[in-house]
Amino acid sequence: MALWVVRGGRGGSYAQWCLAEGRAAAAWNSVPTLAHAQSRDDVVALVAPTMPNESTAKVGNLASQLWGLRSIEPGDTVILPLSSSGTLAVGVCTVGYEHLDEHAPARHSVRVHWRADEVPRAVLGQDLLNSLGSLLTVFQLSRHNAEARFAEVLRTGVDPEATADDPGETPSESVTTASGTLLDPEPVPTTESIRDRVRTHIRTHFREHELTRLVAAVLTVRGFHCDISPPGPDQGVDILAGTGPLGLDSPTLIVEVKSGGGAIGAPVVRGLQGAMLSHRADQGLLVAWGGITREARAEIRKDRLTMRVWDADDLLDQVLDVYEELDETIRAEMPLKRAWVLVENES
């Protein structure tokens, strides 16, 4: 079975529709149905009249992507990047190509059974993140044992081949298979890919108890006095924090830090709730690098006025927001430089 990436429009414009409707889709709606197309050349013949002023290369590129969508079969794995949350929706194709009516935002589609819990990009090795870095709407992944690794991520929440310091081999230019689909296209630098690289650096250089140290550094900038528990069993308390001159004033905060790749379940949330009661803390913060399960999110919602969760993207946002104020030791371990760039067309 093949592994495909199908994006949800510019900026994820119809990604939520795809999830709600159980579909992966492409919105080149001026192109008529591909139902009778038997080859990429057939798709070129359908695309060309809709793009009379475009180059042969651009027509061919679009045709290759549409032919890729046309080629997705039941049983194939489909990935839908969700740029708004830093996660990947992953599902299995259940019905092949269908052409939808004019009410659909994206008319070329396949049906997909989406997995309930999304996959955080933070749990993937940088090589797989590089492979996801193309701006094409539809393409196939094969490099770096991608299909088997995604299967393991879905089973355990952990990428078995994510290495500690390897930034990942940059794929070469995209390859068109004999059938005409695009395979492992070249990544391009985007805000998303830059965040991927920084997240990978944090995951590999601030492992286990070191991640607790990074969280404490962020909270210190935010005005908390932090007491960090030593490495080892901590009974659900990695950081005790408070405000005021002595760190004893409200709000007081208990922090549990989970640096593993797998999603954290409801028992950990209930453990943090218990620790808040026993320590008479005003607030609780769960830092879950691999995210939390749907059941855990439901538990958090019961105490949404006193508890928060930071996943990898939330922690990255916090780090970037206070970076210039962090301790110089932390900044030396995570050297970043702010840069302004012109945002080009990312469609």
PDB file of all heavy atoms in Angstrom, residues 31-32 34 42-52 58-60 62-63 66:
ATOM      1  N   VAL A  31     -11.204  21.844 -13.606  1.00  0.00           N
ATOM      2  CA  VAL A  31     -10.848  20.624 -14.340  1.00  0.00           C
ATOM      3  C   VAL A  31     -12.010  19.633 -14.198  1.00  0.00           C
ATOM      4  O   VAL A  31     -12.447  19.356 -13.088  1.00  0.00           O
ATOM      5  CB  VAL A  31      -9.554  20.005 -13.788  1.00  0.00           C
ATOM      6  CG1 VAL A  31      -9.211  18.711 -14.530  1.00  0.00           C
ATOM      7  CG2 VAL A  31      -8.407  21.006 -13.889  1.00  0.00           C
ATOM      8  N   PRO A  32     -12.504  19.092 -15.315  1.00  0.00           N
ATOM      9  CA  PRO A  32     -13.640  18.168 -15.227  1.00  0.00           C
ATOM     10  C   PRO A  32     -13.253  16.848 -14.578  1.00  0.00           C
ATOM     11  O   PRO A  32     -12.093  16.603 -14.241  1.00  0.00           O
ATOM     12  CB  PRO A  32     -14.052  17.977 -16.692  1.00  0.00           C
ATOM     13  CG  PRO A  32     -12.819  18.275 -17.472  1.00  0.00           C
ATOM     14  CD  PRO A  32     -12.086  19.335 -16.698  1.00  0.00           C
ATOM     15  N   LEU A  34     -12.146  13.211 -13.479  1.00  0.00           N
ATOM     16  CA  LEU A  34     -11.058  12.330 -13.918  1.00  0.00           C
ATOM     17  C   LEU A  34     -11.499  10.874 -13.932  1.00  0.00           C
ATOM     18  O   LEU A  34     -10.671   9.980 -14.104  1.00  0.00           O
ATOM     19  CB  LEU A  34      -9.859  12.474 -12.973  1.00  0.00           C
ATOM     20  CG  LEU A  34      -9.384  13.881 -12.608  1.00  0.00           C
ATOM     21  CD1 LEU A  34      -8.247  13.804 -11.609  1.00  0.00           C
ATOM     22  CD2 LEU A  34      -8.966  14.651 -13.849  1.00  0.00           C
ATOM     23  N   ASP A  42      -4.024  11.279 -20.162  1.00  0.00           N
ATOM     24  CA  ASP A  42      -5.454  11.572 -20.198  1.00  0.00           C
ATOM     25  C   ASP A  42      -5.777  12.789 -19.327  1.00  0.00           C
ATOM     26  O   ASP A  42      -6.618  13.625 -19.688  1.00  0.00           O
ATOM     27  CB  ASP A  42      -6.263  10.375 -19.703  1.00  0.00           C
ATOM     28  CG  ASP A  42      -6.212   9.193 -20.656  1.00  0.00           C
ATOM     29  OD1 ASP A  42      -5.835   9.385 -21.831  1.00  0.00           O
ATOM     30  OD2 ASP A  42      -6.549   8.070 -20.220  1.00  0.00           O
ATOM     31  N   VAL A  43      -5.098  12.890 -18.176  1.00  0.00           N
ATOM     32  CA  VAL A  43      -5.337  14.018 -17.289  1.00  0.00           C
ATOM     33  C   VAL A  43      -4.787  15.303 -17.903  1.00  0.00           C
ATOM     34  O   VAL A  43      -5.415  16.366 -17.806  1.00  0.00           O
ATOM     35  CB  VAL A  43      -4.718  13.764 -15.901  1.00  0.00           C
ATOM     36  CG1 VAL A  43      -4.956  14.958 -14.978  1.00  0.00           C
ATOM     37  CG2 VAL A  43      -5.300  12.502 -15.288  1.00  0.00           C
ATOM     38  N   VAL A  44      -3.617  15.235 -18.552  1.00  0.00           N
ATOM     39  CA  VAL A  44      -3.070  16.399 -19.247  1.00  0.00           C
ATOM     40  C   VAL A  44      -4.084  16.935 -20.255  1.00  0.00           C
ATOM     41  O   VAL A  44      -4.303  18.157 -20.365  1.00  0.00           O
ATOM     42  CB  VAL A  44      -1.748  16.052 -19.952  1.00  0.00           C
ATOM     43  CG1 VAL A  44      -1.316  17.187 -20.877  1.00  0.00           C
ATOM     44  CG2 VAL A  44      -0.651  15.777 -18.934  1.00  0.00           C
ATOM     45  N   ALA A  45      -4.729  16.044 -20.983  1.00  0.00           N
ATOM     46  CA  ALA A  45      -5.724  16.453 -21.976  1.00  0.00           C
ATOM     47  C   ALA A  45      -6.915  17.153 -21.331  1.00  0.00           C
ATOM     48  O   ALA A  45      -7.548  18.018 -21.953  1.00  0.00           O
ATOM     49  CB  ALA A  45      -6.195  15.237 -22.773  1.00  0.00           C
ATOM     50  N   LEU A  46      -7.229  16.827 -20.081  1.00  0.00           N
ATOM     51  CA  LEU A  46      -8.323  17.479 -19.379  1.00  0.00           C
ATOM     52  C   LEU A  46      -7.898  18.807 -18.760  1.00  0.00           C
ATOM     53  O   LEU A  46      -8.679  19.757 -18.694  1.00  0.00           O
ATOM     54  CB  LEU A  46      -8.855  16.560 -18.276  1.00  0.00           C
ATOM     55  CG  LEU A  46      -9.529  15.255 -18.732  1.00  0.00           C
ATOM     56  CD1 LEU A  46      -9.765  14.340 -17.534  1.00  0.00           C
ATOM     57  CD2 LEU A  46     -10.849  15.557 -19.436  1.00  0.00           C
ATOM     58  N   VAL A  47      -6.637  18.873 -18.309  1.00  0.00           N
ATOM     59  CA  VAL A  47      -6.143  20.071 -17.638  1.00  0.00           C
ATOM     60  C   VAL A  47      -5.818  21.179 -18.628  1.00  0.00           C
ATOM     61  O   VAL A  47      -6.134  22.363 -18.396  1.00  0.00           O
ATOM     62  CB  VAL A  47      -4.902  19.734 -16.788  1.00  0.00           C
ATOM     63  CG1 VAL A  47      -4.239  21.016 -16.256  1.00  0.00           C
ATOM     64  CG2 VAL A  47      -5.267  18.813 -15.641  1.00  0.00           C
ATOM     65  N   ALA A  48      -5.195  20.843 -19.747  1.00  0.00           N
ATOM     66  CA  ALA A  48      -4.676  21.841 -20.688  1.00  0.00           C
ATOM     67  C   ALA A  48      -5.719  22.875 -21.121  1.00  0.00           C
ATOM     68  O   ALA A  48      -5.426  24.084 -21.127  1.00  0.00           O
ATOM     69  CB  ALA A  48      -4.063  21.148 -21.895  1.00  0.00           C
ATOM     70  N   PRO A  49      -6.943  22.485 -21.472  1.00  0.00           N
ATOM     71  CA  PRO A  49      -7.926  23.505 -21.887  1.00  0.00           C
ATOM     72  C   PRO A  49      -8.297  24.489 -20.785  1.00  0.00           C
ATOM     73  O   PRO A  49      -8.762  25.596 -21.065  1.00  0.00           O
ATOM     74  CB  PRO A  49      -9.147  22.667 -22.301  1.00  0.00           C
ATOM     75  CG  PRO A  49      -8.604  21.322 -22.622  1.00  0.00           C
ATOM     76  CD  PRO A  49      -7.473  21.125 -21.669  1.00  0.00           C
ATOM     77  N   THR A  50      -8.104  24.114 -19.529  1.00  0.00           N
ATOM     78  CA  THR A  50      -8.446  25.005 -18.414  1.00  0.00           C
ATOM     79  C   THR A  50      -7.299  25.961 -18.076  1.00  0.00           C
ATOM     80  O   THR A  50      -7.490  26.866 -17.261  1.00  0.00           O
ATOM     81  CB  THR A  50      -8.804  24.203 -17.148  1.00  0.00           C
ATOM     82  OG1 THR A  50      -7.621  23.585 -16.615  1.00  0.00           O
ATOM     83  CG2 THR A  50      -9.843  23.131 -17.471  1.00  0.00           C
ATOM     84  N   MET A  51      -6.123  25.765 -18.690  1.00  0.00           N
ATOM     85  CA  MET A  51      -4.954  26.600 -18.413  1.00  0.00           C
ATOM     86  C   MET A  51      -4.317  27.040 -19.729  1.00  0.00           C
ATOM     87  O   MET A  51      -3.143  26.754 -20.006  1.00  0.00           O
ATOM     88  CB  MET A  51      -3.948  25.821 -17.560  1.00  0.00           C
ATOM     89  CG  MET A  51      -4.523  25.302 -16.243  1.00  0.00           C
ATOM     90  SD  MET A  51      -3.368  24.218 -15.322  1.00  0.00           S
ATOM     91  CE  MET A  51      -2.069  25.380 -14.884  1.00  0.00           C
ATOM     92  N   PRO A  52      -5.061  27.752 -20.590  1.00  0.00           N
ATOM     93  CA  PRO A  52      -4.561  28.059 -21.937  1.00  0.00           C
ATOM     94  C   PRO A  52      -3.332  28.953 -21.969  1.00  0.00           C
ATOM     95  O   PRO A  52      -2.580  28.951 -22.954  1.00  0.00           O
ATOM     96  CB  PRO A  52      -5.767  28.747 -22.596  1.00  0.00           C
ATOM     97  CG  PRO A  52      -6.556  29.303 -21.450  1.00  0.00           C
ATOM     98  CD  PRO A  52      -6.399  28.319 -20.343  1.00  0.00           C
ATOM     99  N   LYS A  58       3.938  23.700 -16.279  1.00  0.00           N
ATOM    100  CA  LYS A  58       2.968  23.928 -15.210  1.00  0.00           C
ATOM    101  C   LYS A  58       1.742  23.052 -15.395  1.00  0.00           C
ATOM    102  O   LYS A  58       1.212  22.487 -14.427  1.00  0.00           O
ATOM    103  CB  LYS A  58       2.568  25.398 -15.164  1.00  0.00           C
ATOM    104  CG  LYS A  58       1.747  25.751 -13.934  1.00  0.00           C
ATOM    105  CD  LYS A  58       1.659  27.249 -13.724  1.00  0.00           C
ATOM    106  CE  LYS A  58       0.929  27.572 -12.423  1.00  0.00           C
ATOM    107  NZ  LYS A  58       0.896  29.026 -12.152  1.00  0.00           N
ATOM    108  N   VAL A  59       1.290  22.910 -16.651  1.00  0.00           N
ATOM    109  CA  VAL A  59       0.164  22.018 -16.930  1.00  0.00           C
ATOM    110  C   VAL A  59       0.525  20.584 -16.534  1.00  0.00           C
ATOM    111  O   VAL A  59      -0.263  19.866 -15.908  1.00  0.00           O
ATOM    112  CB  VAL A  59      -0.228  22.093 -18.416  1.00  0.00           C
ATOM    113  CG1 VAL A  59      -1.225  20.975 -18.773  1.00  0.00           C
ATOM    114  CG2 VAL A  59      -0.827  23.446 -18.748  1.00  0.00           C
ATOM    115  N   GLY A  60       1.749  20.172 -16.874  1.00  0.00           N
ATOM    116  CA  GLY A  60       2.185  18.821 -16.556  1.00  0.00           C
ATOM    117  C   GLY A  60       2.289  18.576 -15.070  1.00  0.00           C
ATOM    118  O   GLY A  60       1.946  17.497 -14.575  1.00  0.00           O
ATOM    119  N   LEU A  62       0.523  20.092 -12.652  1.00  0.00           N
ATOM    120  CA  LEU A  62      -0.828  19.960 -12.122  1.00  0.00           C
ATOM    121  C   LEU A  62      -1.425  18.608 -12.498  1.00  0.00           C
ATOM    122  O   LEU A  62      -2.062  17.937 -11.674  1.00  0.00           O
ATOM    123  CB  LEU A  62      -1.714  21.093 -12.636  1.00  0.00           C
ATOM    124  CG  LEU A  62      -3.204  21.022 -12.292  1.00  0.00           C
ATOM    125  CD1 LEU A  62      -3.415  20.839 -10.800  1.00  0.00           C
ATOM    126  CD2 LEU A  62      -3.924  22.273 -12.779  1.00  0.00           C
ATOM    127  N   ALA A  63      -1.196  18.189 -13.725  1.00  0.00           N
ATOM    128  CA  ALA A  63      -1.717  16.891 -14.166  1.00  0.00           C
ATOM    129  C   ALA A  63      -1.128  15.748 -13.342  1.00  0.00           C
ATOM    130  O   ALA A  63      -1.833  14.795 -12.995  1.00  0.00           O
ATOM    131  CB  ALA A  63      -1.430  16.691 -15.646  1.00  0.00           C
ATOM    132  N   LEU A  66      -2.957  15.698  -9.972  1.00  0.00           N
ATOM    133  CA  LEU A  66      -4.309  15.166 -10.098  1.00  0.00           C
ATOM    134  C   LEU A  66      -4.293  13.671 -10.416  1.00  0.00           C
ATOM    135  O   LEU A  66      -5.129  12.914  -9.910  1.00  0.00           O
ATOM    136  CB  LEU A  66      -5.076  15.933 -11.176  1.00  0.00           C
ATOM    137  CG  LEU A  66      -5.662  17.273 -10.742  1.00  0.00           C
ATOM    138  CD1 LEU A  66      -6.222  18.020 -11.943  1.00  0.00           C
ATOM    139  CD2 LEU A  66      -6.737  17.087  -9.679  1.00  0.00           C
TER     140      LEU A  66
END
